Amino acid sequence: MNLEERQANRAKARTRARIRRHSVPFERELRRSVGRPRRLGETIMEYTTAAKAKLAHRETLGSETCAAFAGALYSPTAVDEVLLDNLRDRVKAFKKARRDRRQ
């Protein structure tokens, strides 16, 4: 593997780590709804599906946010800052929807 390939692989790994960092608050929010941590081997899609009934008014937003994370993590194309900002904003909206419903 040449230097360019190594640098490209490192850049992809850094981007994926950033995506995962954004997914932590989303997963934490799902845990509040599901009432259990994500099981070993359970994908984020499976975890979100398990939470659907308990998400109530946030079901669509949760499914769309999950799909956005899955798309970003497994996309063959490069992920840019705009997409990362979009993921962060989706998580904020998901969390805000819970707080807004309580008021």
Side-chain angles (χ1 to χ4, degrees):
M1 184 181 306
N2 67 31
L3 179 62
E4 268 183 36
E5 290 170 330
R6 283 195 305 266
Q7 289 174 335
N9 285 340
R10 285 185 193 128
K12 282 182 189 178
R14 283 191 300 273
T15 300
R16 298 220 187 290
R18 290 179 67 193
I19 293 167
R20 286 188 190 97
R21 271 195 305 274
H22 287 309
S23 73
V24 168
F26 176 65
E27 191 171 329
R28 203 175 299 133
E29 193 66 24
L30 285 174
R31 183 181 302 168
R32 291 179 89 130
S33 297
V34 177
R36 65 165 174 82
R38 192 165 69 153
R39 293 183 178 118
L40 189 62
E42 185 175 32
T43 67
I44 192 69
M45 294 289 258
E46 293 166 335
Y47 195 47
T48 303
T49 300
K52 275 188 177 185
K54 295 179 181 181
L55 291 177
H57 69 285
R58 300 186 307 157
E59 179 183 341
T60 301
L61 185 56
S63 294
E64 290 171 353
T65 302
C66 177
F69 274 112
L73 279 170
Y74 303 111
S75 173
T77 60
V79 174
D80 60 10
E81 289 298 320
V82 173
L83 180 60
L84 290 170
D85 289 344
N86 178 275
L87 291 171
R88 186 188 64 240
D89 292 345
R90 284 177 178 274
V91 172
K92 284 181 182 178
F94 186 65
K95 291 168 72 172
K96 185 178 182 311
R98 176 182 46 84
R99 290 189 303 267
D100 289 348
R101 188 62 170 222
R102 288 188 303 177
Q103 295 174 0

